[in-house]
Every structure is written in C-alpha cells, then in structure tokens.
Amino acid sequence: MKTIISFADLTHTRHACNAIPYGIALVASYASKNLGNKIEVDLFKYPTDFIEYLEKTIPKIACFSNYIWNMNLSYEFARQIKKKSADSIIIFGGPNYPIETEEQKAFLLLHPDIDFYIYREGERSFVALFNKLLEYNFDFVRIKKSRLNIPNCHYINDGVIIQGNLMHPLSNLDEIPSPYLTGCCDKFLAKGMIPLTQITRGCPFKCTYCQEGNEYFNTIRRFSSKRIKDELEYIAQRTIVPTLIVADANFGMYKEDVEISREIALVQKKYGWPKYFMHVSGKNYKDRILEVAAIIQGSSLSAAVQSTDEKVLKNIKRENVSLSQMIQVAKERETLGSISFSEVILCLPGDTKDAHFKSILELIDAGIKIVRSHQLIMLPGSEISTKKSREQYDMVTRFRVMPYTVSPYQLFGEIFYAPEIDEICVANASMSFEDYLECRLFNLTVEIFYNDGIFQELLKFLRLHNISIPFFIMNIHKHICSGTGSLSDFYDGFLRKTKELWNNRCELITFLQQPNVIDRYISGELGNNEQLMYRSLTIFKHMDKLHKTAFDIATEMLSQKGCFNERYREYLGELSEFSLLRKKDILSIDIIDEKYFHYDFVDLAVHNFNETPLSYYKPEGINIVFFHTEDQKELISKQIKCYGLSNYGLVRILSYGPPVSNFYRKIKKVVVQPE
C-alpha cells in the first residue's frame, strides 16, 4: 500500500508569490525516483487547493516549506492536520530556521506539531527519513524516543533537541529528476504560475544578512546544460505566462552561464518565450554579465549594492564584491533597452544616517534610474540574526505583520488566520531609531520623486544647467520635511505607519488577538507596505502636488545658480502643464485633453528631452492632444480588473504591473484650422 504524502509550498491569498513551487517539487521528484511505488505524492501552492484536498484526503506525511512569507500559514495547516489526525507526520524544511542550536531548539519547542525539521538540502535527507519511518512502521514517537541519528533531521524528544549529522551538499545535481520533465509541475503551468528553475546551487559570497552566506552554501554546483535545455523546451511548449525566473544567486557570473543564455535565446527565437527573464545578477565579472544580458531578450539586471560605505560592507562580509562593477553593470543595462536598478538595505551593522543618505545619493549621481531601499529583515538562517551578531552591533529590532498576509482560511470546519511576522532592525550602535525614521522618510522621497523617472523631462533640463540631481532630490526632501510643503501631512501619515511596530513577537500576537484587529488588517487600515502604499497614492492621486513641489524647487535652484530668466520661467511653466496632462489621473482612460503650447514637446519627446529645449520654441505655437491608445486602454482595464482601485489595488498595479510610464498618455500635434 502506498504512503500518501503531500508537499505544500503555500502562499497567502493576498500575497503576490505566484511562482511555481520548485523547491518542494525537487524534493518530491527525488523521492519519487528513489521510493517508487512506496509513495503517492501531491504538491500544492494555493491554500484553497490544499483545503479541497485535505477535506477528502488526510496524508500520512505532510511536508511544508518554511520561508519568511509562509511560516505561520504552513504551521496553521500543519496544526489542523495534526488535530484531525494525530498519526499524521509533519515535516518542515526550508531556510527560515535558525542556525544556532539553542535557537533551533526554541523554534521546535514553540512549534510542537512539527515532528521533524529537515535542515539544509532536503532531497536525500527526506528519503533517508522516509526509509527510517518505514522501518519503524511510521511510529515516529518510537523513533524520537530512540533518539535516532537521521541525516539533516532535527527533532525534539523530552525537551532535548536531536540533530542528525549534516550531509555534504549533493555534488551531482542531475541525480535529482527534473520536476518539469517528469510532469510534476504540469498542473502549476496550466494554472498560469510563473515558471521558476535553477541552474546553479550555492554562492561564493559570505554576506551576513543572507541565508546563503553560510559556508555550507559556498560550493557551487550546476545542473547539466542538456537538462536545462530540455526543461526550457518543455516549459515553453506548456506555459501560458511570458516570464521565466532563474533562482540562482549569481546568474551570469560563470562562463557556463553564457552557454545557457544562448540556449534561452534559441528558445525565445523558436517559441517567443520567455519575453521577460528575471534573475539575480552576479556580483563580479561585469563583462560576462553584460554579455549574458545582451544575449537574452527581456533580461533584467540589477546592482544590489546594499551600501556604498566601506565599513558597512566589511561588517557584512561583502568586501570581496566589486561595487564599481555592479554599478557599471546597472548603468550599461540601459544600452540593452532596460532601466538601471539598484538596491540598498537600511540599518546594516555600522550604518549611519549619513552613510545611508550617501549610498542613495551616490547611486543617483551615478545615473542609476531606480534606487530602492529595503528594511533589514532578521532572517533566522542568516549570520546577522545570531546572538553574537546582535550583541556585537547592539542591534535593536521591532516586529510587524508582514503586509498582505492576513486572510481567513477554513479547514475541517474551523476558520483561522495566520499572519506572518517580520523582525526588522530599526537601530544599532551607529544608528538611532530617530535616524532610522529620517532615513525611511528620505527613501520615500526617492521613491516618489526619482524612481521610475516620473520627472525625467525636468531632470534632463536641470542637468543641462549642471544642477546636481542628488542635490535636487535632497532639496525636495528638506522642503517637505520642513513642514511647509503641500505633502507634509502626507509624510506625517507615512511616518505614523512606519512606527506601526511592536517591541516583541508576543506583544504583537496579543495585539492581533484583540477584537476587530484582524478586520483592520484585512480592510487595509493596518499592515500595509507603507513605502509602496504612499508611493502609489501620490502617483495615482496627488500628481498635481508632486509637480508643484518638484517644479518649485527646480525654479529655486536655477535662480540660486543665476541661470533663470523669463524664457526659462515660460518653458518650465509649460513643461509642468505638459507633464501633468500626461501623468495626472493616468488610470482614467476616457480623458482626452488638448492644450496650446509655445514649445514643441512632441519633437522634444522624440529626442527623449536630451536636446536644448529652447531650440524647440515655436512663436506661432502648437496644439497637443493627450490621449490613451486603444492598447493602453486595454492594458489599464486589465490591471484594474485584476487588482481593483482600492489602495491595496493601486499598490499592486504599481508594483506588479508594467512600468508606470506605460500608463502615461500619448501625445500628438494637431493642426488648428483657421476660422
């Protein structure tokens, strides 16, 4: 009789994580190969599908992935299964697990319904655990009492943690059957989930904030080129989405990646897929990374520099990463038709307010078009989360509900919620909480006024007059934070949401249990990603205020430089009107405007505003019409239908839809017939 096993890599209903569950699919494929007719497996991603399955079938073994975005959701399902069937065996695995023994013990004691935790790679250790369970007739209690050493397996017996010997990472990755080629992922492809695959395992870098910074992951191993080629062909013939994600830590950094990129390009030519290729770019070997990006159409490149401060980089063991190469890669991606993108992390060890501002401004000065700042999440599987690191850098942390992880689920007649909780660093020995808040406000300014080129026409005019763009952004920020700007109240609201933090996990859990609190999270009153939320609200609802602020500051800076005159005043006044007519209420597809201008903004736009604008002055003037094309109307309508126009919907449109510039109204000159 076959043993029924479920593998669940769950995602919250409102949380945008729509990639195929590749990790559990690898474990399931390896188990099916080695255990054959002994087992019957099924895989799940969406809670609704898993609930439907569990209402009919209770698995003998229920396996769950554990990431920061699904830990509580997975555990609540495990708890329900255990309550329904005490003989069912619960197995967890994944990176969201401490690396210190005492913390591992505390984790398992806090989650008593987890029978076994598979630490590090799961394929061989799951098979070893299953064989031991089979040997003991699935009497997991007897296994625990015997304190058996099972490779990579952790469990609790009488309050004592038992840790199996750590197996060396699998050297020949092709021993794991492809979950695509075996048909394991067919149902996910049919559902329209984003294909995700892996070419290499491991990362040579030791970044302390990352779970792959541990020496266990420093050995690099690869799947064979033939396997990857066969997978690409298989997926291309079955997927209904235009995107491919490669989960490597440093794609493009190795010479073998050039060969793989050519295979991807051949598939693109043959099938027209993938149109978009998402990956994490390598940190070194700039020329090779750019070569790979040039081969693959729709390839994304980024420079996750985290900080430009040498002390911070040393503290997080990132000094062997070529910062200059990463920035150059991000800049040169624009020659490939993409937008340069870079990321930093706030409140890393040794970070200061000045260092954080400097990192952001240096990236802007380098010409990076999107500079995004992230919070430092204390990942349990990372070195930075250890007790030693916390004490060394005097790290102060707070807790929050992860955005969009509060939804009701019903299983076996019980309704339950499973909000995920983040622990984030908000201060350390070199950065106070007040400085942290100032940095968060500055990050919002960059998101609104710089990222995605909202004011690229204005920025190019300023550059023509040698006005520093970092200085311009700083002046906008100072103006708003002075309390005199039209957006000051808006920033106050952002700051209140930023302070929506709790001192410890228990305090937050107690708050969640209070009457009506869950409803406030579901409604969006609480628990939003405040940076994305306020960025979305300003762009979609307050574009006029953004323009007034940006153009007022630009006028002031040009005047201070002594290069402002009436002609410039006229040009900037018309440019502001022109820009606003293109970008205000951009989701309103029925608006058509016509406006008289003295400057030929249509021809200026053809030259991407890189020319001296005064040469486009037309004394007789021209009329310009602003409109959405039929394709734009269809695109916007689909976005609204998919996400809605609630505040949460606007966030998703801006975050997961196409670049916001795709929504700007098109322009054309019209000939005015004489009366």
Side-chain angles (χ1 to χ4, degrees):
M1 185 176 178
K2 294 183 179 180
T3 301
I4 298 176
I5 304 175
S6 65
F7 289 89
D9 177 23
L10 300 176
T11 181
H12 280 271
T13 301
R14 299 176 66 215
H15 196 258
C17 185
N18 196 36
I20 283 175
Y22 183 72
I24 61 169
L26 287 170
V27 178
S29 294
Y30 188 84
S32 296
K33 169 189 171 183
N34 287 273
L35 300 174
N37 291 329
K38 297 177 183 177
I39 62 173
E40 176 184 321
V41 303
D42 212 338
L43 281 68
F44 300 93
K45 180 75 173 183
Y46 296 138
T48 51
D49 294 337
F50 196 34
I51 288 170
E52 183 180 352
Y53 167 85
L54 291 174
E55 293 286 2
K56 300 175 182 177
T57 306
I58 300 297
K60 184 64 179 177
I61 300 176
C63 303
F64 294 89
S65 67
N66 177 21
Y67 298 98
I68 60 169
W69 56 81
N70 74 352
M71 170 60 212
N72 288 342
L73 180 62
S74 295
Y75 188 70
E76 280 302 310
F77 270 88
R79 187 181 66 83
Q80 293 286 341
I81 292 171
K82 205 70 168 175
K83 189 163 66 171
K84 182 76 171 180
S85 172
D87 290 336
S88 290
I89 300 165
I90 305 298
I91 301 174
F92 269 54
N96 190 38
Y97 183 69
I99 58 177
E100 297 172 298
T101 296
E102 284 304 309
E103 293 301 315
Q104 291 171 345
K105 177 182 175 181
F107 175 93
L108 294 174
L109 289 173
L110 187 62
H111 302 92
D113 288 317
I114 297 176
D115 293 306
F116 301 96
Y117 201 102
I118 293 181
Y119 185 51
R120 302 307 192 194
E121 285 187 348
E123 290 87 4
R124 290 178 297 163
S125 48
F126 175 78
V127 170
L129 174 57
F130 179 87
N131 284 329
K132 190 58 65 176
L133 288 167
L134 188 62
E135 178 185 339
Y136 276 70
N137 196 28
F138 298 99
D139 188 345
F140 59 91
V141 175
R142 188 156 63 96
I143 288 176
K144 291 181 179 182
K145 288 182 177 179
S146 301
R147 299 193 175 186
L148 298 181
N149 185 314
I150 305 170
N152 286 22
C153 288
H154 295 183
Y155 58 91
I156 294 290
N157 178 65
D158 289 337
V160 177
I161 184 170
I162 311 300
Q163 299 165 296
N165 295 334
L166 189 62
M167 302 173 73
H168 290 293
L170 182 64
S171 57
N172 179 13
L173 295 184
D174 279 358
E175 289 184 22
I176 308 169
S178 165
Y180 289 105
L181 301 178
T182 58
C184 189
C185 292
D186 281 359
K187 71 175 182 179
F188 301 119
L189 290 170
K191 282 180 176 288
M193 294 187 194
I194 302 172
L196 181 150
T197 191
Q198 189 177 44
I199 296 167
T200 65
R201 278 189 183 179
C203 178
F205 305 107
K206 299 181 182 295
C207 308
T208 62
Y209 58 85
C210 177
Q211 291 155 327
E212 287 195 272
N214 189 277
E215 63 180 0
Y216 177 88
F217 297 103
N218 289 158
T219 301
I220 310 302
R221 298 148 290 142
R222 303 183 67 87
F223 290 102
S224 68
S225 296
K226 183 181 185 308
R227 173 199 174 104
I228 297 300
K229 178 181 178 181
D230 291 344
E231 278 194 348
L232 291 169
E233 285 272 345
Y234 188 94
I235 297 169
Q237 296 175 42
R238 291 164 177 81
T239 184
I240 58 175
V241 297
T243 303
L244 171 66
I245 303 175
V246 166
D248 294 22
N250 297 281
F251 182 77
M253 200 171 74
Y254 308 106
K255 61 181 184 296
E256 295 90 346
D257 292 339
V258 178
E259 177 189 352
I260 295 299
S261 67
R262 294 195 180 104
E263 294 293 347
I264 295 173
L266 288 174
V267 171
Q268 287 181 318
K269 184 176 181 180
K270 184 176 180 180
Y271 297 100
W273 177 89
K275 294 185 183 300
Y276 308 106
F277 179 67
M278 298 174 61
H279 66 283
V280 176
S281 304
K283 282 79 174 171
N284 293 334
Y285 299 97
K286 172 180 72 73
D287 293 340
R288 188 176 294 151
I289 292 168
L290 289 171
E291 180 183 2
V292 165
I295 293 170
I296 304 173
Q297 296 181 17
S299 176
S300 64
L301 283 172
S302 63
V305 301
Q306 316 310 1
S307 175
T308 63
D309 186 85
E310 291 184 4
K311 181 179 179 181
V312 173
L313 294 174
K314 183 178 180 180
N315 288 345
I316 61 175
K317 299 182 180 178
R318 200 174 166 86
E319 65 267 32
N320 61 338
V321 172
S322 176
L323 192 63
S324 61
Q325 284 195 15
M326 292 183 69
I327 294 174
Q328 193 63 30
V329 163
K331 288 177 63 178
E332 291 189 25
R333 71 180 285 184
E334 294 191 24
T335 64
L336 306 175
S338 301
I339 297 174
S340 53
F341 181 92
S342 191
E343 297 171 300
V344 298
I345 297 177
L346 172 62
C347 217
L348 288 165
D351 202 5
T352 64
K353 184 182 78 171
D354 290 343
H356 184 74
F357 275 49
K358 180 172 175 285
S359 293
I360 299 287
L361 295 173
E362 284 181 345
L363 291 168
I364 292 175
D365 196 44
I368 305 300
K369 293 298 186 292
I370 297 178
V371 182
R372 183 145 293 146
S373 180
H374 299 287
Q375 307 242 48
L376 174 56
I377 298 177
M378 306 297 285
L379 301 174
S382 65
E383 180 183 337
I384 210 168
S385 184
T386 62
K387 182 179 179 181
K388 178 181 177 182
S389 180
R390 291 168 185 260
E391 292 178 349
Q392 180 179 357
Y393 298 107
D394 195 18
M395 303 177 80
V396 178
T397 65
R398 293 291 182 266
F399 294 80
R400 65 174 185 184
V401 172
M402 182 181 292
Y404 318 124
T405 62
V406 182
S407 297
Y409 303 99
Q410 184 171 348
L411 178 60
F412 307 139
E414 180 179 336
I415 296 176
F416 61 92
Y417 301 85
E420 307 298 338
I421 296 176
D422 278 340
E423 182 186 9
I424 58 174
C425 183
V426 299
N428 57 38
S430 54
M431 178 180 285
S432 67
F433 181 62
E434 289 71 25
D435 286 348
Y436 159 84
L437 292 176
E438 287 193 44
C439 290
R440 290 283 289 158
L441 287 170
F442 181 61
N443 295 337
L444 179 64
T445 299
V446 174
E447 280 286 358
I448 294 174
F449 288 93
Y450 183 77
N451 286 352
D452 286 320
I454 295 290
F455 293 104
Q456 65 166 335
E457 305 95 337
L458 177 60
L459 297 186
K460 290 188 176 184
F461 183 75
L462 294 177
R463 287 192 182 100
L464 286 174
H465 295 85
N466 297 315
I467 299 291
S468 163
I469 303 307
F471 191 32
F472 171 65
I473 297 299
M474 275 300 304
N475 279 354
I476 288 177
H477 182 68
K478 290 176 181 177
H479 171 72
I480 295 172
C481 292
S482 68
T484 58
S486 60
L487 292 169
S488 295
D489 290 343
F490 203 70
Y491 271 53
D492 289 342
F494 169 81
L495 195 59
R496 286 193 298 272
K497 290 294 184 182
T498 300
K499 294 178 180 178
E500 207 173 90
L501 302 168
W502 282 260
N503 292 320
N504 55 64
R505 192 179 300 270
C506 291
E507 184 180 281
L508 176 50
I509 291 173
T510 299
F511 175 73
L512 288 168
Q513 293 170 344
Q514 294 179 12
N516 301 320
V517 167
I518 288 293
D519 292 335
R520 294 170 67 191
Y521 276 97
I522 293 175
S523 69
E525 178 188 347
L526 298 174
N528 294 299
N529 182 319
E530 61 271 8
Q531 186 166 286
L532 295 180
M533 175 66 73
Y534 278 80
R535 173 177 178 245
S536 301
L537 291 177
T538 53
I539 289 174
F540 288 125
K541 296 185 177 182
H542 299 280
M543 189 63 79
D544 50 349
K545 293 182 179 180
L546 301 189
H547 274 68
K548 176 171 174 46
T549 299
F551 280 85
D552 282 354
I553 296 300
T555 298
E556 181 181 322
M557 294 182 71
L558 286 165
S559 298
Q560 291 174 350
K561 195 175 178 64
C563 57
F564 192 71
N565 53 44
E566 284 304 312
R567 179 59 63 85
Y568 284 176
R569 184 184 301 279
E570 179 186 46
Y571 171 73
L572 288 178
E574 290 199 3
L575 178 63
S576 178
E577 286 186 280
F578 166 81
S579 178
L580 198 54
L581 285 170
R582 291 193 71 199
K583 301 166 188 174
K584 184 179 179 181
D585 299 325
I586 50 177
L587 298 182
S588 299
I589 59 178
D590 295 325
I591 294 177
I592 300 177
D593 279 307
E594 183 174 333
K595 181 73 178 178
Y596 175 84
F597 295 97
H598 290 97
Y599 292 87
D600 191 342
F601 290 113
V602 175
D603 283 354
L604 259 172
V606 170
H607 293 90
N608 206 22
F609 286 83
N610 290 321
E611 307 286 337
T612 302
L614 298 187
S615 61
Y616 289 82
Y617 179 75
K618 304 291 183 182
E620 70 281 7
I622 64 169
N623 276 38
I624 299 177
V625 174
F626 301 80
F627 63 99
H628 282 120
T629 66
E630 292 304 314
D631 286 344
Q632 284 183 304
K633 290 179 180 180
E634 182 181 0
L635 171 66
I636 292 171
S637 296
K638 285 182 177 179
Q639 294 291 310
I640 293 173
K641 182 178 180 181
C642 182
Y643 300 121
L645 289 174
S646 66
N647 289 349
Y648 171 62
L650 295 178
V651 169
R652 300 194 74 181
I653 289 174
L654 198 60
S655 302
Y656 306 117
V660 67
S661 58
N662 288 29
F663 301 141
Y664 295 166
R665 291 180 183 84
K666 300 298 182 182
I667 51 175
K668 65 179 180 181
K669 289 183 276 190
V670 295
V671 177
V672 180
Q673 299 295 331
E675 296 182 1

